Amino acid sequence: MSDLVKLTIEGHEVEAPAGTSILEAAKLVGILIPHYCYHPALPVAGSCRMCLVEVEKSPKPQPACATPITPGMVVRVASDVARAARRAVLEFLLINHPLDCPICDQAGECELQDYTHEEGRAAGRYADYPKRYNPVEDFGPDVLYVPNRCILCTRCVRFMENVAQEPTLNVSERGDRARIGVFPGAALDHPWAGNVVDLCPVGSLLSKDFLNKARVWDLDKTASVCGGCTQGCNITLETRDNAVVRVKPRPNMAVNRWFICDEGRLGYAWLNRADRIEAPLVREGGRLVPVEWEVALARAAELVGAGDGPAVGLVSPGASCEALEAAARVLAARGEGSAGAFRVRQGPERPLAGVPDLALRAERAPNVAGALAAGFGRDWDAAVARARAAGLVLVLDESLAGLAEPVTDGALLYIGTVLPETARGAVVILPCTNVAEEEGSFVNLRGLRQRYAQARTPPGMARPAAWILDAILAALPARAARAGGRA
Ligand code: SF4
Ligand code: SF4
């Protein structure tokens, strides 16, 4: 273990490992020193000078990101000298920065706005700004560049070079003409490229997907886990008027650091689908009829308790652990021989080269480990073949659209968010919530079970699948319910 160094920052005694920067040591006592070019995921550049602080016995203010702590050091963050230095940097940056906040997507989460407000730079001495580039450049599939707003912190350049390890961006030109450029023939189309938009401290790099969609202060933010693959990246679901409009990474050093891939970032449209099942449906005289939950659950329990041979479960590895465990209990309650399987959509693995053990994984579902732990197998084709002749088939949240024909000649109990054509022959159809509309957990590929929270109101009468399956179990005759693990 490295030696600990004692110092004083803004009157607080701090102890941190030797080699720690003043900026990181200050975080330990709850002081955030303003900064632009510094980011803990990137090599230190020390170029923006926004983190200047006063260090006793030092003739000039020092950059906190690039100055390691030393024993007995006394650092002042809010002194007149330190503030004057940072205000001068802000005035310098604002010479070249257009004040187009009212039409900028970054307004409300812009570090130039925040620090200007915090440091008290009320006005500059320049009447106009001289930068006059084309307003917008197309950098890649989801990234736009607005050069006039760029403060040349080079976070985006260093991310592509050191983290994605695919140098795509550079600082083109020099002096007051400097701007970010794309190498000839290259495009910002790396599968993790969208992270440059998060890293940009101002509104210079923008997401095309989010462009002009919402003011950020109108967004509600909910902690969630990405459903895109088995990595289990931590995310924030951002909603407006009950619709998910943006997905952002939520830092977790053990899983995804500060990043998410573009597939996870942009693959949220299905959470807002409008063609949802909104009421429980039961088959009466050849027709599907909407009914109250009590009626539907009683009918579902009747099907499960009927005892005409083992049941087959076809489940989704996108369902929560709670739902999958409850589905396993319902199958057990049906009796011996009942079992289930799942299938996983596959895709190419896309690592983020500079971060160990972080990749868009080949298995594009969040809860493969959870499905296996609940007792479901990967023998999907065999399960589908058995389903044809089974007395009861339980489908949980698994789209049947890929199957050319109805899944069974027996009774189908379908729990899902939408109703594919091939499930229209079901006896009971129960509407469940999607990951944005419920609480639950997924187990990622390293065995880490992670909780997600509810971000939007479910449509109509939809309920979490875990609640539905437990309610079916509760409605079963006592003996069958005991077999399913309910006392
Ligand atoms: S585009 Fe953004 S991240 Fe890149 S150098 Fe400019 S301000 Fe920094
Ligand atoms: S790597 Fe997987 S879990 Fe992470 S953001 Fe991408 S799709 Fe989602």
Side-chain angles (χ1 to χ4, degrees):
M1 196 187 144
S2 50
D3 295 339
L4 289 177
V5 171
K6 273 193 193 167
L7 71 158
T8 308
I9 300 178
E10 207 53 23
H12 302 277
E13 294 245 313
V14 190
E15 213 173 37
T20 306
S21 65
I22 295 176
L23 195 147
E24 283 298 332
K27 285 185 188 169
L28 299 176
V29 283
I31 297 173
L32 183 69
I33 299 172
H35 56 276
Y36 293 119
C37 68
Y38 175 78
H39 190 284
L42 304 172
V44 172
S47 61
C48 76
R49 316 312 274 182
M50 191 57 211
C51 66
L52 289 174
V53 291
E54 187 183 357
V55 178
E56 216 172 76
K57 296 190 188 130
S58 166
K60 291 191 299 185
Q62 297 296 314
C65 72
T67 310
I69 54 172
T70 54
M73 193 180 231
V74 177
V75 178
R76 295 194 189 94
V77 180
S79 67
D80 289 347
V81 171
R83 276 201 185 277
R86 294 200 298 270
R87 281 193 196 131
V89 171
L90 279 172
E91 182 177 25
F92 180 65
L93 290 173
L94 287 167
I95 293 171
N96 288 314
H97 192 90
L99 296 182
D100 58 358
C101 310
I103 55 154
C104 177
D105 268 350
Q106 189 89 357
E109 55 187 16
C110 170
E111 289 166 40
L112 197 54
Q113 280 183 333
D114 292 349
Y115 293 145
T116 304
H117 180 74
E118 196 178 298
E119 298 291 312
R121 173 86 257 173
R125 281 168 284 176
Y126 293 81
D128 206 355
Y129 67 94
K131 263 199 202 171
R132 287 289 182 268
Y133 289 118
N134 280 338
V136 180
E137 283 179 37
D138 191 352
F139 265 14
D142 187 48
V143 184
L144 293 175
Y145 177 54
V146 186
N148 288 342
R149 294 179 189 154
C150 180
I151 60 166
L152 289 159
C153 70
T154 71
R155 279 188 186 178
C156 52
V157 176
R158 282 173 287 143
F159 174 81
M160 290 312 297
E161 201 160 309
N162 301 96
V163 184
Q165 296 183 0
E166 192 180 283
T168 308
L169 304 177
N170 57 47
V171 180
S172 298
E173 309 277 355
R174 289 295 176 264
D176 66 342
R177 291 182 197 163
R179 54 200 282 284
I180 299 302
V182 179
F183 284 118
L188 198 56
D189 57 1
H190 186 278
W192 294 74
N195 290 291
V196 297
V197 175
D198 306 331
L199 288 168
C200 184
V202 296
S204 190
L205 292 173
L206 300 172
S207 160
K208 291 181 194 173
D209 178 72
F210 187 65
L211 200 65
N212 302 336
K213 236 190 204 175
R215 305 310 317 203
V216 297
W217 51 84
D218 286 335
L219 302 178
D220 292 316
K221 304 186 180 199
T222 308
S224 190
V225 175
C226 177
C229 80
T230 52
Q231 180 72 36
C233 293
N234 291 206
I235 55 168
T236 304
L237 287 181
E238 303 192 345
T239 48
R240 185 182 181 215
D241 297 338
N242 209 35
V244 179
V245 292
R246 186 168 74 165
V247 175
K248 282 278 189 185
R250 194 160 51 90
N252 183 330
M253 294 309 117
V255 182
N256 54 301
R257 305 266 182 113
W258 296 268
F259 310 118
I260 52 174
C261 76
D262 287 10
E263 211 171 292
R265 183 186 300 270
L266 300 171
Y268 62 84
W270 70 277
L271 294 170
N272 299 325
R273 271 181 81 155
D275 57 340
R276 297 283 296 275
I277 316 169
E278 296 205 0
L281 304 167
V282 298
R283 186 160 296 281
E284 271 171 25
R287 286 177 57 234
L288 286 170
V289 183
V291 292
E292 292 296 332
W293 269 110
E294 290 74 15
V295 178
L297 290 170
R299 189 75 184 275
E302 235 172 68
L303 286 181
V304 175
D308 45 356
V312 174
L314 300 175
V315 302
S316 164
S320 68
C321 291
E322 293 73 12
L324 290 161
E325 287 156 8
R329 286 196 289 275
V330 168
L331 287 173
R334 169 75 177 195
E336 210 147 301
S338 296
F342 63 90
R343 63 175 166 178
V344 198
R345 191 169 64 84
Q346 302 285 327
E349 182 138 333
R350 303 279 190 214
L352 184 59
V355 181
D357 204 28
L358 180 56
L360 163 61
R361 304 290 173 178
E363 294 198 311
R364 302 289 214 266
N367 205 14
V368 171
L372 289 169
F376 294 95
R378 290 174 177 274
D379 47 347
W380 175 263
D381 289 343
V384 170
R386 273 188 289 121
R388 299 251 173 262
L392 173 67
V393 175
L394 164 67
V395 171
L396 169 60
D397 205 17
E398 173 58 54
S399 169
L400 296 181
L403 298 176
E405 45 193 86
V407 70
T408 181
D409 299 329
L412 175 60
L413 167 55
Y414 179 80
I415 302 172
T417 54
V418 293
L419 187 60
E421 204 51 46
T422 34
R424 285 188 187 272
V427 182
V428 178
I429 292 170
L430 304 174
C432 71
T433 50
N434 65 33
V435 57
E437 298 158 357
E438 62 180 25
E439 284 183 16
S441 60
F442 296 140
V443 181
N444 82 348
L445 81 166
R446 298 288 172 247
L448 187 66
R449 188 162 176 166
Q450 306 187 97
R451 286 178 63 78
Y452 56 83
Q454 183 182 348
R456 68 189 289 257
T457 312
M461 295 164 76
R463 295 281 180 101
W467 179 92
I468 296 171
L469 288 153
D470 277 333
I472 293 173
L473 209 55
L476 282 175
R479 215 161 52 112
R482 264 200 303 279
R486 195 169 61 84

